[in-house]
Amino acid sequence: MKNILITGGAGFIGSHVVRLFVNTFTKDKIYNLDALTYAGNLENLKDIENSPNYEFIQADIQDLALLQTVFKEKNITHVVHLAAESHVDRSITDPLAFVKTNVIGTANLLQTAKEYWKDDFSDNLFYHVSTDEVYGSLGDTGFFYEDTAYDPRSPYSASKASSDHFVRAYHHTYGLPIVISNCSNNYGPNHFPEKLIPLMINNIIHNKPLPIYGEGLNVRDWLYVIDHARAIERIFSGGKLGETYNIGGHNEWSNIDLVNVLCDAMDAKLNRTQGESRKLITYVKDRAGHDLRYAIDATKLKDELGWEPSLQFEEGIKKTIDWYLSNKSWLENVTSGEYTSYYTNMYK
Ligand code: NAD
Ligand code: TYD
């Protein structure tokens, strides 16, 4: 029996991973360790919170002693590490928070696992969830491959790149059994509305301006969050130790094209005249150091583990909009409090 510690399980991607693991690994125990920062929300897991193989632990990965206690008390055998500060704009305002959680927090977890597993790693795995942003920014063509040189350019991506290096260093130096995946931009239910897609959906609902950075020509490769969770489960179960897998949707959109799609789909859903929401689009000052384009080549994952995205983008966007429209109280809860001051400062 495995005792699987998932960190950051109350966040956007983590909550989908926790749900999938609880429902898939029914004979194993899933521990969700999360500090419940502004981005963590146990409402995301209401449907599985009483499952017999699930337990929540509120803890901060910056607290080494607490991690040591958790590993010992719960006899942790496997880690799936998602806990992170995850928003580029916040990393520009407060870079050190990203060093503390993403770099030091990851190093704390690695060290705790190494010490607790006592260098006998036969039944253990440390799975680190990372981002394609570590590879930097592409021009108009080309893709990120698993062996693309790291070139992080924001405090967020620099902190994730650093955490990836620590994970590989523990593998090479101590033999810790690790696997890393680097995924493109996710979207879907439970996405915190500081990120592009949920922010735009929320603002369209409330007839608020839709802030597009720069000229809106930056390109992202979007993947439905449940497909990311499926990929993580596949790599957790069958990935080769020490390896890296890229995950992506082959689904590139410039920000302005994507927001136009959202506007038109929302107009249809909200019975507004076509074109009404597009009038809310407002070009604002560009993000500092704004990466131009991300695009993932996920051939290795397809060839080795047979993973492919299950949803087309049009379907995924429809499902996402439907989810936000039927979960208005979720949206209201997360946009009260801290969000209001964040939004006012960010978009003043
Ligand atoms: P999120 O911000 O929605 O959730 C992060 C979670 O981590 C929250 O529940 C938060 O409470 C928790 N957390 C933050 N600091 C913590 C700490 N010090 N100790 C314990 N818990 C803490 O993030 P997300 O978008 O779900 O991303 C999850 C992971 O996936 C991150 O590692 C991120 O780098 C990676 N990733 C995200 C994307 C994306 O598009 N969102 C794409 C690729 C990779
Ligand atoms: P985001 O969702 O923050 O993800 P990331 O920066 O990690 O890719 O942003 C996606 C893209 O949308 C990025 O090019 C920045 C842009 N963007 C805007 O134009 N306006 C906004 O209000 C936000 C939050 C993002």
Side-chain angles (χ1 to χ4, degrees):
M1 181 191 150
K2 300 185 185 79
N3 290 318
I4 306 168
L5 183 75
I6 300 182
T7 70
F12 166 47
I13 301 170
S15 59
H16 291 281
V17 173
V18 165
R19 177 176 301 101
L20 184 64
F21 273 53
V22 165
N23 292 332
T24 305
F25 301 109
T26 49
K27 297 205 169 66
D28 299 314
K29 184 91 190 221
I30 313 300
Y31 294 98
N32 170 15
L33 183 149
D34 197 295
L36 298 183
T37 67
Y38 77 92
N41 185 353
L42 288 177
E43 248 191 83
N44 296 348
L45 290 165
K46 272 260 163 274
D47 55 323
I48 57 104
E49 69 182 3
N50 295 319
S51 302
N53 65 334
Y54 170 75
E55 189 177 322
F56 174 68
I57 303 165
Q58 183 164 6
D60 192 320
I61 57 170
Q62 293 174 51
D63 188 339
L64 178 65
L66 193 54
L67 290 180
Q68 289 165 335
T69 307
V70 169
F71 269 66
K72 202 167 154 203
E73 277 183 3
K74 310 298 182 189
N75 183 27
I76 298 304
T77 58
H78 293 66
V79 174
V80 183
H81 175 37
L82 295 105
E85 289 293 340
S86 68
H87 190 35
V88 174
D89 291 323
R90 289 188 194 247
S91 84
I92 295 169
T93 318
D94 185 8
L96 295 187
F98 286 66
V99 176
K100 286 177 193 151
T101 284
N102 300 0
V103 185
I104 297 173
T106 302
N108 282 343
L109 265 176
L110 287 163
Q111 182 64 13
T112 306
K114 174 192 168 321
E115 283 173 2
Y116 182 68
W117 294 339
K118 296 192 173 59
D119 299 333
D120 168 17
F121 303 128
S122 39
D123 287 317
N124 303 126
L125 178 67
F126 191 108
Y127 183 153
H128 179 58
V129 175
S130 193
T131 166
D132 62 353
E133 301 190 29
V134 298
Y135 298 122
S137 179
L138 291 164
D140 291 336
T141 57
F143 294 97
F144 295 136
Y145 300 92
E146 282 80 1
D147 59 0
T148 299
Y150 274 31
D151 182 24
R153 295 145 56 97
S154 74
Y156 164 64
S157 54
S159 68
K160 291 297 290 187
S162 173
S163 67
D164 294 10
H165 289 321
F166 270 101
V167 175
R168 286 198 188 94
Y170 269 69
H171 176 66
H172 289 291
T173 309
Y174 308 113
L176 195 79
I178 64 108
V179 69
I180 300 180
S181 57
N182 296 80
C183 189
S184 62
N185 286 58
N186 286 211
Y187 70 98
N190 305 103
H191 204 182
F192 193 79
E194 64 187 354
K195 307 276 170 63
L196 180 74
I197 290 181
L199 184 144
M200 295 297 166
I201 292 176
N202 185 40
N203 285 15
I204 293 170
I205 292 174
H206 295 100
N207 268 306
K208 280 173 60 177
L210 308 178
I212 306 269
Y213 300 162
E215 296 179 68
L217 298 178
N218 304 66
V219 172
R220 299 293 183 262
D221 173 3
W222 293 95
L223 179 69
Y224 194 60
V225 63
I226 291 171
D227 279 329
H228 187 190
R230 286 177 48 248
I232 291 175
E233 189 278 310
R234 196 69 67 86
I235 295 165
F236 177 85
S237 299
K240 285 195 200 125
L241 293 185
E243 293 280 320
T244 293
Y245 294 88
N246 280 354
I247 310 172
H250 263 299
N251 177 43
E252 293 180 49
W253 288 85
S254 71
N255 294 335
I256 185 63
D257 287 348
L258 173 50
V259 171
N260 280 330
V261 166
L262 282 176
C263 286
D264 296 350
M266 293 284 291
D267 281 345
K269 280 276 166 201
L270 297 169
N271 293 322
R272 293 181 184 167
T273 319
Q274 275 298 317
E276 203 175 320
S277 295
R278 287 190 187 211
K279 290 186 195 143
L280 298 168
I281 290 173
T282 311
Y283 291 90
V284 299
K285 190 167 169 274
D286 207 354
R287 172 186 280 173
H290 198 171
D291 287 341
L292 178 66
R293 176 171 165 259
Y294 304 143
I296 277 278
D297 183 299
T299 309
K300 176 177 172 181
L301 182 56
K302 183 179 174 202
D303 289 352
E304 281 190 21
L305 297 172
W307 175 91
E308 279 185 287
S310 68
L311 274 191
Q312 294 300 311
F313 189 59
E314 288 67 21
E315 200 186 340
I317 280 293
K318 264 198 202 131
K319 273 177 178 275
T320 305
I321 291 174
D322 286 346
W323 187 85
Y324 281 94
L325 291 177
S326 7
N327 288 275
K328 285 204 178 129
S329 64
W330 184 94
L331 206 43
E332 274 156 29
N333 288 345
V334 301
T335 50
S336 60
E338 196 267 356
Y339 184 81
T340 316
S341 53
Y342 164 77
Y343 198 93
T344 313
N345 283 331
M346 181 66 209
Y347 296 97
K348 59 186 169 218

